[in-house]
Amino acid sequence: MPGSKTRPKERLAELRDLIRHHDRCYYLNDRPEITDQEYDKLYAELVGIETQHPEWITPDSPSQRVAGAPAEAFEKVAHRQPMLSLQNSYSIEDIDAFEERLRKELKDQAPETMEYFCEPKFDGLAIELVYEDGLLTRAITRGDGNVGEDVTQNVKTIRSVPLQISEAPKLFEIRGEIVMLKEDFRRLNEAQQEAGEVPFANPRNAAAGTIRQLDSRIAASRPLRLFTYAPGTIEGVRFESQHEFETTAGKWSLPTVGVAAENESFAEFEARLNSILQSERKAPHVSSLGLARICRGATEAKAYYSFIQSVRGRLPFDIDGVVIKVNRFRLQDDLGFVARSPRWATAAKFPPEQAQTVIEAINIQVGRTGALTPVAVMRPVKVGGVTITNATLHNQSEIDRKDIRVGDTVVIQRAGDVIPEVVEVVADKRLPNSQPFVISNICPACGESAEKPEGEVILRCVNPGCPAILRESLKHFVARRAMNIEGLGDKQIDALVAAELVKRPSDLYRLRAGDILSLERQGEKSATNLIESIQASRKTQLARVIYAMGIRFVGEATAKSLAKFYRTLEQFIGASEESLMQVPDIGEKVAQTILTALRGPYLKKELQRLVENGVEIEAVSQNAGHSQTLAGKKFVITGTLPMGRDEIKDLIEASGGIILSGVSKKTDFLLAGEEAGSKLQKATELGVAILDWDAFQKMLKDAPLTT
Ligand code: IVH
């Protein structure tokens, strides 16, 4: 074929292999070999070929990770073999008792020293993946153990989960745990908070909430991981041991915590992990951690338990104990089950990092978006080495669910090593005269009444003049990642608001040194410094300005997407609903919120005031932000479409596409709206790929998966 080195079908196979390889590098090994842009380019090329040849799309193509429309409900699916639970033990001595039972059961066949396979007990949710002829066909939650829910579409969005395993036998079922890494959890919660949403209590809740999303696009946007730990039904190959199973699973690109080398002594194991976990600040390359290992006898299993407990806080994911399994499958079969648990395994749990204390008060904090959040103020107590005094109670329904009252003695724990959480009330320590706590619908900061929008659980103060909202908005506005005004601390912000020198963020750009000097405890030096840093922040980027406005749901990433898309403040101010829906990662809810804000009395004016007061926004260059998903692709547009022609042209060009006026053999795509006429006919005759509006939107939106 002239002009092309490889035929499209071969190129497609090559692209799929390349993308799978880079997915593994990025998600399994945490060692990317190419930039995000280079990855996007490969992906766009793949989608381009598949759009032209939909008949070539296969279920294991990387493009199939993101599904279309949200599901109505999850289908219930039976497990071929029930997913059982583990017997829990809560003290290290129970490991001796476990070995004692094994010896009794196995009588004469027990070898001198029991061989165990030991690994962490992940604190996530159990899942079963079914590979048939090497293809991932189903992912089913544990459910009641017999019947779970089909969450395949969501599990497919986890990039470290292979969609296809070429080495796998005819039927290959594996079990594992879905978790969210602590670092990913921290970032997700930051974004939730920025968006004025209720943060997740811990990584497990975040993972569970994500896997049960009916809209797989939400699952795709949240970083989940899988750890493989057990076989289900397997036909066509036999594994001798848990060790062999996990080592092989790892070789076949299934994510695991990695198995330590067989000849590594326990002392070497400890030394190696101590050094990895000390030196790596960011989540280490999990599957090469080699956290799972064979332990010989209860003594070594107990040492494993103690060692893992000592590094627990430094692991990149939450665990709540270790699982000790008889290594040989033949012995496992001999041992069998009692009730719903295998005799061949035990979960040795760690004592929770919990403590009891008394709630002295429940304060209501007013957030930047007006959200009223109840916060428990507690008698200071140490949990896992950290003194805790405050814990968020989230909202009224959380307070009701746990029936938390002022004066109550409560059990608290640190969830995911970050946010302290009230677990429960100690019922028999409740004071006789205690009253249920109800959040007043009067804003504690301004005295106006707060509202609870329908379908939401959070009360919000809607008074635009509320000083608490203003203070919080200003703190957000000046933050390093927003307008980056150095040296303007919380105390000064409070003073500026109290003195009514600042009534809205744009007023900061009208301050003079004299204004600051008029505040209490402000010297000349600090006044000039502050004016200088305000001055320095004037030259800025559009993404920062959009982010700084604190629009609900618009965190840093969304602000960047908006800036890339609109390029100038004027275009952003004039955004239409249709164009907002074209911005990567923006769905209807966010688009509506932005639109309402832009049409409201405040946002547009405030943005204009910033410019009037001397904020200069650098223009975003023509192609800067858009991943060049349509690079070089030739488009012809025809018929009536839901968006203006010029706007569509801008969109295509911004993604690297080219607009042609007439259909020819060289045309890659015809975008055909309603009442398309001769162009459509010609394109059909020439075999040019035809896109309707939905397909076009999908093409623009789905391609840059990494943004
Ligand atoms: S093996 C027969 N290994 O613990 C069950 N389970 O109480 C064999 N879990 O629902 C399970 N980490 O969600 C196994 N390394 C691990 C595990 C693990 C966590 C969970 C799993 C299961 C529960 C059983």
Side-chain angles (χ1 to χ4, degrees):
M1 197 190 270
S4 77
K5 279 180 240 102
T6 340
R7 292 223 300 276
K9 200 157 185 180
E10 282 146 24
R11 178 64 181 154
L12 186 63
E14 193 174 277
L15 284 166
R16 286 178 183 166
D17 284 344
L18 272 172
I19 291 170
R20 282 185 201 121
H21 168 78
H22 291 301
D23 276 344
R24 276 200 296 275
C25 292
Y26 193 101
Y27 293 97
L28 212 53
N29 307 332
D30 296 319
R31 300 265 190 283
E33 289 175 357
I34 55 173
T35 63
D36 289 358
Q37 282 90 329
E38 285 165 329
Y39 181 94
D40 286 351
K41 237 173 139 169
L42 294 176
Y43 192 88
E45 196 185 340
L46 172 99
V47 173
I49 298 179
E50 287 183 348
T51 315
Q52 274 179 310
H53 296 279
E55 72 280 8
W56 292 346
I57 299 178
T58 55
D60 66 331
S61 169
S63 64
Q64 300 307 296
R65 287 198 188 269
V66 180
E72 294 272 308
F74 294 116
E75 194 192 333
K76 297 258 192 283
V77 182
H79 298 285
R80 276 197 186 77
Q81 274 176 47
M83 287 179 80
L84 304 172
S85 51
L86 290 167
Q87 270 162 352
N88 290 328
S89 50
Y90 294 92
S91 80
I92 194 162
E93 293 77 36
D94 287 344
I95 296 175
D96 289 317
F98 171 64
E99 182 160 85
E100 208 42 50
R101 280 199 306 276
L102 290 178
R103 282 189 188 289
K104 271 198 199 129
E105 288 290 335
L106 293 170
K107 292 196 201 89
D108 39 307
Q109 17 165 356
E112 235 357 87
T113 315
M114 284 299 308
E115 192 181 77
Y116 301 114
F117 188 84
C118 300
E119 62 186 331
K121 185 172 192 305
F122 306 102
D123 197 6
L125 65 146
I127 192 110
E128 173 167 81
L129 305 191
V130 184
Y131 287 88
E132 288 171 292
D133 294 319
L135 266 190
L136 175 62
T137 49
R138 273 224 153 111
I140 316 164
T141 60
R142 180 173 183 273
D144 64 5
N146 295 314
V147 176
E149 288 180 318
D150 181 339
V151 291
T152 315
Q153 226 19 83
N154 286 344
V155 169
K156 278 188 172 174
T157 68
I158 306 175
R159 301 267 209 108
S160 56
V161 169
L163 298 180
Q164 191 233 6
I165 302 177
S166 51
E167 303 92 332
K170 191 159 178 37
L171 177 63
F172 186 54
E173 287 184 351
I174 61 110
R175 276 106 191 250
E177 197 91 345
I178 302 271
V179 305
M180 191 176 285
L181 299 186
K182 290 176 190 170
E183 176 65 15
D184 289 333
F185 167 75
R186 201 186 49 71
R187 269 193 244 141
L188 173 65
N189 255 2
E190 247 173 44
Q192 288 283 112
Q193 236 138 5
E194 262 169 15
E197 299 274 276
V198 182
F200 294 100
N202 53 49
R204 179 171 33 78
N205 286 4
T210 302
I211 237 21
R212 300 206 70 261
Q213 284 290 336
L214 288 165
D215 186 346
S216 66
R217 285 169 301 189
I218 298 180
S221 72
R222 297 194 193 149
L224 294 178
R225 298 273 179 146
L226 168 79
F227 290 115
T228 309
Y229 55 58
T233 307
I234 294 182
E235 283 168 16
V237 69
R238 222 192 119 71
F239 295 103
E240 292 302 319
S241 64
Q242 177 73 26
H243 182 273
E244 192 195 0
F245 168 75
E246 270 188 45
T247 315
T248 312
K251 279 195 196 128
W252 291 355
S253 295
L254 278 164
T256 67
V257 278
V259 182
E262 257 184 296
N263 61 359
E264 186 179 55
S265 72
F266 201 84
E268 286 164 348
F269 171 76
E270 287 184 323
R272 176 174 59 81
L273 281 165
N274 267 327
S275 101
I276 299 179
L277 294 170
Q278 233 141 49
S279 59
E280 299 222 18
R281 271 194 56 247
K282 110 183 216 304
H285 167 189
V286 180
S287 39
S288 74
L289 273 177
L291 263 185
R293 65 169 281 130
I294 293 206
C295 289
R296 296 197 159 78
T299 311
E300 210 168 78
K302 286 191 288 184
Y304 182 85
Y305 171 92
S306 303
F307 174 68
I308 298 294
Q309 185 174 13
S310 75
V311 295
R312 176 187 190 182
R314 285 183 270 147
L315 292 177
F317 44 86
D318 274 347
I319 63 172
D320 55 357
V322 299
V323 182
I324 302 168
K325 304 170 184 178
V326 170
N327 186 37
R328 301 267 146 204
F329 286 146
R330 191 180 53 76
L331 286 183
Q332 288 192 3
D333 292 343
D334 290 347
L335 285 159
F337 298 85
V338 249
R340 308 281 296 160
S341 322
R343 282 203 192 84
W344 44 262
T346 189
K349 299 254 238 171
F350 298 139
E353 297 186 310
Q354 289 187 334
Q356 285 193 10
T357 184
V358 174
I359 296 191
E360 293 178 329
I362 296 176
N363 289 346
I364 305 298
Q365 277 178 1
V366 186
R368 166 168 62 77
T369 56
L372 304 192
T373 307
V375 178
V377 182
M378 299 169 298
R379 194 169 293 159
V381 63
K382 272 204 160 179
V383 185
V386 176
T387 303
I388 287 175
T389 49
N390 290 335
T392 171
L393 302 178
H394 301 297
N395 53 54
Q396 185 71 51
S397 69
E398 276 293 293
I399 294 179
D400 295 346
R401 195 166 65 77
K402 297 178 179 164
D403 188 19
I404 297 168
R405 307 178 182 191
V406 175
D408 275 351
T409 298
V410 289
V411 176
I412 60 163
Q413 73 181 14
R414 284 202 303 146
D417 291 325
V418 243
I419 315 157
E421 174 191 16
V422 174
V423 183
E424 59 182 6
V425 172
V426 183
D428 52 10
K429 293 194 184 165
R430 171 160 284 168
L431 305 176
N433 56 352
S434 83
Q435 294 294 319
F437 185 83
V438 182
I439 304 174
S440 151
N441 66 346
I442 301 297
C443 171
C446 68
E448 298 276 320
S449 58
E451 287 174 10
K452 191 184 299 191
E454 227 184 85
E456 294 196 16
V457 287
I458 293 179
L459 273 166
R460 278 176 205 280
C461 172
V462 288
N463 169 16
C466 174
I469 298 180
L470 175 58
R471 279 196 301 269
E472 293 307 311
S473 305
L474 284 168
K475 286 175 200 169
H476 174 77
F477 183 83
V478 306
R480 196 168 54 81
R481 310 190 78 93
M483 296 303 284
N484 191 20
I485 304 183
E486 273 175 63
L488 188 50
D490 292 0
K491 286 220 174 84
Q492 284 159 307
I493 288 178
D494 292 351
L496 286 168
V497 172
E500 296 189 13
L501 282 166
V502 173
K503 294 203 171 81
R504 50 185 84 86
S506 59
D507 290 347
L508 289 171
Y509 290 101
R510 300 174 59 168
L511 287 176
R512 291 154 199 280
D515 297 328
I516 295 161
L517 275 170
S518 72
L519 301 173
E520 255 178 77
R521 282 195 296 270
Q522 290 294 330
E524 204 143 328
K525 180 92 181 111
S526 65
T528 16
N529 283 349
L530 187 52
I531 293 295
E532 268 171 25
S533 54
I534 292 176
Q535 188 61 28
S537 76
R538 281 180 202 272
K539 260 208 164 69
T540 190
Q541 296 93 37
L542 182 56
R544 281 179 178 270
V545 175
I546 296 176
Y547 173 59
M549 299 319 289
I551 307 161
R552 219 178 144 201
F553 308 123
V554 180
E556 217 186 332
T558 308
K560 279 187 185 156
S561 299
L562 287 164
K564 280 177 186 174
F565 190 87
Y566 289 105
R567 300 204 297 270
T568 66
L569 185 63
E570 294 68 41
Q571 294 204 51
F572 171 64
I573 288 178
S576 67
E577 184 174 351
E578 292 76 20
S579 68
L580 279 166
M581 294 292 292
Q582 297 300 317
V583 182
D585 294 335
I586 291 192
E588 205 176 313
K589 183 166 101 177
V590 181
Q592 277 305 333
T593 310
I594 297 171
L595 206 65
T596 312
L598 282 171
R599 289 187 181 154
Y602 171 76
L603 182 61
K604 194 170 152 184
K605 266 212 185 114
E606 179 65 359
L607 285 166
Q608 285 160 346
R609 275 190 296 252
L610 282 174
V611 176
E612 283 160 23
N613 293 354
V615 170
E616 282 175 50
I617 301 170
E618 289 167 18
V620 181
S621 72
Q622 181 88 23
N623 290 324
H626 290 273
S627 41
Q628 297 286 295
T629 47
L630 307 179
K633 293 278 178 267
K634 302 184 183 69
F635 281 78
V636 175
I637 309 173
T638 188
T640 316
L641 288 154
M643 193 191 274
R645 277 290 161 91
D646 287 342
E647 225 175 340
I648 299 176
K649 283 185 184 166
D650 283 350
L651 274 175
I652 294 176
E653 283 170 355
S655 294
I658 299 159
I659 310 285
L660 301 176
S661 55
V663 177
S664 75
K665 268 193 191 158
K666 286 189 187 147
T667 312
D668 290 302
F669 299 104
L670 177 75
L671 170 55
E674 274 170 39
E675 287 162 60
S678 60
K679 282 183 184 159
L680 179 57
Q681 204 178 346
K682 185 154 183 206
T684 317
E685 283 164 16
L686 291 173
V688 169
I690 294 157
L691 300 173
D692 63 10
W693 183 244
D694 284 351
F696 172 68
Q697 278 182 303
K698 197 164 154 35
M699 193 168 175
L700 279 181
K701 251 189 123 143
D702 284 353
L705 261 186
T706 50
T707 52

